[in-house]
Structures are given as structure tokens and as C-alpha cells.
Amino acid sequence: TERQLSIAGTTRDIPPPFMVIATQNPHDYYGTFPLPESQLDRFLLRIELGYPDGSVERGIVAAGGGDDALDWLEPVVSAPEAERLADIAERVRVDDILLDYLMDLVRETRDDRALSLGVSPRGGIHLYRATQAAALLSGRTYAIPDDLQSVIMPVLSHRILPASGQGAIPGERRRIAKNVLQDLVDRLPVPV
């Protein structure tokens, strides 16, 4: 079942908030394997962090790495506060016209000839929820098209596959996915 963890035959409930953070090194897959699409689809967002700025990286290097290199980090939100914010985000209003726009974007990925796999219903749900969260982070209790457009890449780009023969080179799949999504955003009329 969900929200449980099993280790060595012992199952434990995982208290909220539950989140999985995974890392991927796109340049060296030695000893690792790419996740299948069905597993990638379970991740709400895919965020590219890139390299830290010079002063931050200098601090990381000077600390020498290891577990103690992160001792200076402080939480920005407590677990109960994260739950409270998630509850508030679920109540952010998404008008029907914006939902129709979201659904048009999702359906278009399924019909696009540049893709062999479009966005799943779970991807649509995640785009909806991320749109609500983006509105909340902007201080609003209602979502606007800018909220949806601000999260479309991190929510959808890992859920679609280029047509066969494309995207075999590492990084190429992600570039093609972003281009297709940007084309859809540029092409579909934005609700007013």
C-alpha cells in the first residue's frame, strides 16, 4: 500500500509529509539504469539544479564533503507547516476555463507526431496540483495561466517520450520534450 515502507520484512507507516527526492547524473549511467516511464510518471517534478554559484561551491569544497558538509543547513519549513501549506494549496481555485486549457495541453501531447508517449492522467493531476501550488506561492487563492505555464516544464517534460529514433543521445530526450512542450504552449490559445 502507499505511505508505507518495508525493510527486511518489516512494514512501517510513513508519517506525512511523505516525499521522495531522487538524484540523477545525466552524464554517467555506470552502475545505474534509467527509470521506466511508468516510474518516472510518479514523480511530481523534475528540477534541474545545475552547479552552485562560485561562493557556495567554494564553501562546499572547503568543507571537504561528507555528511558534516551539510550540518549548516537549516529547515525552511517544519513538517506540520508543509502539511498546512499543502492543504491550503488544494483549496486554490482553478476556473473551468483554465482546467480546459490544461486538458488541451495534456491531450495535445498524445496527438503530437514528435512524441511516442504523451502525458498520462496522473501527469494531468500533477500539473493541476503544481498549478495550484504556484498560485499559492504567488500569494493568490486562485490560479492563472501564468501559474500553469510556470510549472509545465518541470511537471511534464519527464513524462513524454520523443518519437522513435529521436532522443537516443543523453540529454537529447529532455531537449526534445522541452521543445515540444514549448511549441504547444506557444500554439494553444491562452485563456483570458
Side-chain angles (χ1 to χ4, degrees):
T1 62
E2 292 196 15
R3 302 191 192 279
Q4 290 183 333
L5 173 69
S6 296
I7 300 175
T10 303
T11 301
R12 300 177 194 270
D13 289 332
I14 300 172
F18 173 73
M19 120 176 27
V20 173
I21 298 174
T23 60
Q24 178 182 18
N25 182 343
H27 299 289
D28 182 10
Y29 291 106
Y30 182 74
T32 65
F33 300 94
L35 291 174
E37 287 74 30
S38 61
Q39 290 179 10
L40 284 174
D41 194 38
R42 293 182 176 273
F43 286 89
L44 174 66
L45 302 169
R46 179 177 179 173
I47 301 170
E48 294 179 19
L49 298 177
Y51 293 107
D53 71 26
S55 63
V56 171
E57 187 172 17
R58 185 179 192 284
I60 292 169
V61 171
D67 293 338
D68 58 337
L70 301 178
D71 287 345
W72 58 272
L73 290 177
E74 295 289 329
V76 294
V77 66
S78 66
E81 181 69 5
E83 286 182 72
R84 188 180 80 73
L85 290 170
D87 290 341
I88 293 170
E90 285 182 11
R91 294 192 301 267
V92 167
R93 189 177 77 247
V94 177
D95 284 335
D96 286 342
I97 193 166
L98 185 56
L99 178 56
D100 290 341
Y101 176 60
L102 182 150
M103 293 309 304
D104 288 345
L105 286 164
V106 167
R107 283 192 206 102
E108 285 290 323
T109 66
R110 298 174 190 159
D111 296 332
D112 196 298
R113 289 183 180 168
L115 301 176
S116 62
L117 179 67
V119 174
S120 69
R122 176 179 289 156
I125 292 167
H126 286 176
L127 184 57
Y128 186 91
R129 289 181 177 165
T131 298
Q132 289 176 300
L136 180 64
L137 290 172
S138 294
R140 284 182 271 97
T141 59
Y142 57 91
I144 61 174
D146 288 350
D147 298 321
L148 188 152
Q149 290 178 349
S150 73
V151 297
I152 194 167
M153 294 300 176
V155 174
L156 298 186
S157 64
H158 63 286
R159 300 173 191 281
I160 58 179
L161 279 179
S164 75
Q166 297 181 21
I169 300 168
E172 186 71 6
R173 173 181 167 179
R174 183 114 165 119
R175 187 190 62 75
I176 292 169
K178 285 180 174 181
N179 287 345
V180 168
L181 291 171
Q182 189 60 56
D183 178 60
L184 292 177
V185 168
D186 292 344
R187 192 166 29 93
L188 291 176
V190 178
V192 289

